[in-house]
Amino acid sequence: MIAELQSTVLLRKLELFGELPPADKQLLNNVMSRGRVVRGHTDIVAEGESPTDVHLITGGFACRYKTLKGGTRQIVSYLVPGDFTDLHTFILSKMDHSVGTLSECAVVDIPRSRILELIERPALARALWWVALVDEATSREWLVNIGRRRSEARIGHLFCELHARLKAVGLAVDGKIRLPITQNELADTVGLSVVHTNRALQSLRAAKLITLERSELVILDAERLQKFSGFNANYLHQGLGKQDK
Amino acid sequence: MIAELQSTVLLRKLELFGELPPADKQLLNNVMSRGRVVRGHTDIVAEGESPTDVHLITGGFACRYKTLKGGTRQIVSYLVPGDFTDLHTFILSKMDHSVGTLSECAVVDIPRSRILELIERPALARALWWVALVDEATSREWLVNIGRRRSEARIGHLFCELHARLKAVGLAVDGKIRLPITQNELADTVGLSVVHTNRALQSLRAAKLITLERSELVILDAERLQKFSGFNANYLHQGLGKQDK
DNA sequence: CGGCAACTTGACAATGCTCAACGCGGGTGG
DNA sequence: CCACCCGCGTTGAGCATTGTCAAGTTGCCG
């Protein structure tokens, strides 16, 4: 059910930034313990905790979220294979948000000490820094998305982003990705109600921009969807500095 | 017009995280060149550029923003005295957003090389890392704010945050801060139209929660405003690990 | 005094929310 | 094997929030 990509997916992601010396790749491999499987809709780290391990997602979908009184919640980022949940834990002792799974996930727990070993390698340190900065850039783009785009474009934009990110780690084939997410969760992501989310989705389907059934999202016309949603992949800073430099 | 706090304000901010060794403070001072003044509503760095210097705001208000086709824009963060504009420039060559002043600002330009000197000091490196993480946490909180709060609470929340941040660097006295921002800019911050922003402001005034005139914001009842807006300062991770640990 | 930018106001339209009900399908227990 | 239940998706109707347009008003500055 859950892909066993393990360290491959992380390596693949880090090398989006730049190639790593063989010794670093080796180290990366050593650091990866055996993974475990976490059921869907389960917290990996909860707000207020002070996690001791860093968690790496190697399969499935997870998210960062905050719950407000009244029970409403807002998902503030998605974690896909290759993403870390807790890199800030070195500096900020207490989590100011929760991390939970959306689908069933494969998770690797890495003790802080091992991360410190990684950071001692300059190339790895830079790569991990890059990861953190891309996360930040993504969250800025989400702000634009939620603040300034209407419902259909908002959802379309999210789909474009997820496709780009999954493609980067080899998890997308011709516009098709696994998206094991309920409409409720989607609504909490884009800041809309479930009902409205449902209608916006139908509108995207009617426009023949996407297909979404049984957790499989197909982007039927990438170029048109990107234009429609105002999507521009710059903020993901992928691509070896080519389009970036 | 613009306060001449210079390095004081940065030091003050960094020591929110933890005290610095005297040698580090000294180094911090050396790194600060003479500042310059930037007019209001002017870009400091534009999207697409690859800045060579890092810019530190020492007076006034600036912001990060993105413009979408159609001319609408979204402000994604505020920069107040003590904030850096460009720390990511070491890793991400091209800016994926612009940084511009809101009011007249005092800005200190710091060459990359000098920042590298700072980062070699462990205590400073950690403090700067903390700064980056708090920025990220803030942007997550903004996501919650824009995604899940109604207009009045949204604006109220922003006001609470700005007050907390300015107070931390000594720029707030009993609930009063300078807020040299037009309603248009405020609207672009909270993701609302100007007209609606105006009405929400009036509603906050009518509820005797705030006062805002001539760029002076007074929070009349901090506790009530915080409750009303769902504000909880945790995400700012201020306070020497005291309330944080 | 004139001009311009920021702020206000009113009226109306569009977007999005809530409530409530129903269908479908997979999983469970009888 | 069937009946039921429950989560998820879907629909309709009415209401609330927010946006747009257009026209003042205010206050500062030249």
Side-chain angles (χ1 to χ4, degrees), chain A residues 2 38-41 59-62 101-105 178 180-181 185:
Chain A
I2 289 294
V38 179
R39 221 195 317 278
H41 314 280
F61 266 69
T101 57
L102 294 168
S103 70
E104 186 175 86
C105 280
R178 251 203 104 232
I181 281 174
E185 291 160 341

Side-chain angles (χ1 to χ4, degrees), chain A residues 5-106:
Chain A
L5 302 159
Q6 297 289 52
S7 76
T8 316
V9 75
L10 174 59
L11 181 58
R12 190 148 180 180
K13 177 173 168 185
L14 293 183
E15 290 208 319
L16 284 176
F17 174 63
E19 205 171 342
L20 292 170
D24 286 10
K25 296 190 198 182
Q26 191 52 51
L27 185 62
L28 212 53
N29 248 311
N30 295 343
V31 157
M32 310 280 289
S33 67
R34 185 175 223 70
R36 64 189 163 104
V37 172
V38 179
R39 221 195 317 278
H41 314 280
T42 308
D43 276 2
I44 296 176
V45 196
E47 182 167 350
E49 287 181 12
S50 309
T52 56
D53 285 3
V54 169
H55 306 285
L56 172 69
I57 308 290
T58 59
F61 266 69
C63 68
R64 301 182 189 283
Y65 69 92
K66 290 195 175 193
T67 309
L68 354 185
K69 46 190 148 303
T72 54
R73 76 168 182 169
Q74 175 69 42
I75 292 176
V76 296
S77 73
Y78 277 13
L79 302 172
V80 302
D83 290 344
F84 287 104
T85 64
D86 294 306
L87 277 183
H88 16 55
T89 214
F90 291 99
I91 301 285
L92 305 179
S93 41
K94 242 180 169 178
M95 292 287 290
D96 58 24
H97 64 276
S98 303
V99 177
T101 57
L102 294 168
S103 70
E104 186 175 86
C105 280

Side-chain angles (χ1 to χ4, degrees), chain A residues 142-153:
Chain A
W142 280 36
L143 230 18
V144 175
N145 199 34
I146 293 187
R148 287 293 175 209
R149 279 191 265 263
R150 61 165 48 278
S151 56
E152 292 92 346

Side-chain angles (χ1 to χ4, degrees), chain A residues 175 204-205 207-211 218-225:
Chain A
L204 287 174
R205 286 193 265 243
K208 302 238 183 288
L209 289 167
I210 62 153
T211 264
V218 183
I219 295 181
L220 297 173
D221 185 338
E223 199 181 346
R224 205 153 53 87
L225 184 61

Side-chain angles (χ1 to χ4, degrees), chain B residues 1-114:
Chain B
M1 173 124 214
I2 289 295
E4 313 271 318
L5 303 159
Q6 296 291 49
S7 74
T8 316
V9 75
L10 174 59
L11 181 58
R12 191 148 179 180
K13 176 172 169 184
L14 293 184
E15 291 208 317
L16 284 177
F17 174 62
E19 204 171 341
L20 292 170
D24 286 10
K25 297 191 197 181
Q26 190 51 50
L27 185 61
L28 212 53
N29 247 312
N30 296 343
V31 157
M32 310 281 289
S33 67
R34 185 174 223 72
R36 65 191 161 103
V37 172
V38 179
R39 220 195 318 280
H41 313 279
T42 307
D43 277 0
I44 296 177
V45 195
E47 181 168 350
E49 286 181 12
S50 309
T52 56
D53 285 3
V54 170
H55 307 284
L56 172 69
I57 308 291
T58 59
F61 266 71
C63 67
R64 302 181 189 283
Y65 68 93
K66 290 195 175 194
T67 308
L68 354 184
K69 46 188 151 301
T72 54
R73 77 168 181 168
Q74 174 69 42
I75 292 176
V76 296
S77 73
Y78 277 11
L79 302 172
V80 302
D83 291 344
F84 288 104
T85 64
D86 293 307
L87 278 181
H88 17 53
T89 213
F90 291 99
I91 301 285
L92 305 179
S93 39
K94 242 179 169 177
M95 292 288 289
D96 58 24
H97 63 277
S98 303
V99 177
T101 57
L102 293 168
S103 70
E104 186 176 85
C105 280
V107 176
V108 174
D109 307 305
I110 309 176
R112 288 190 185 200
S113 55
R114 315 239 45 184

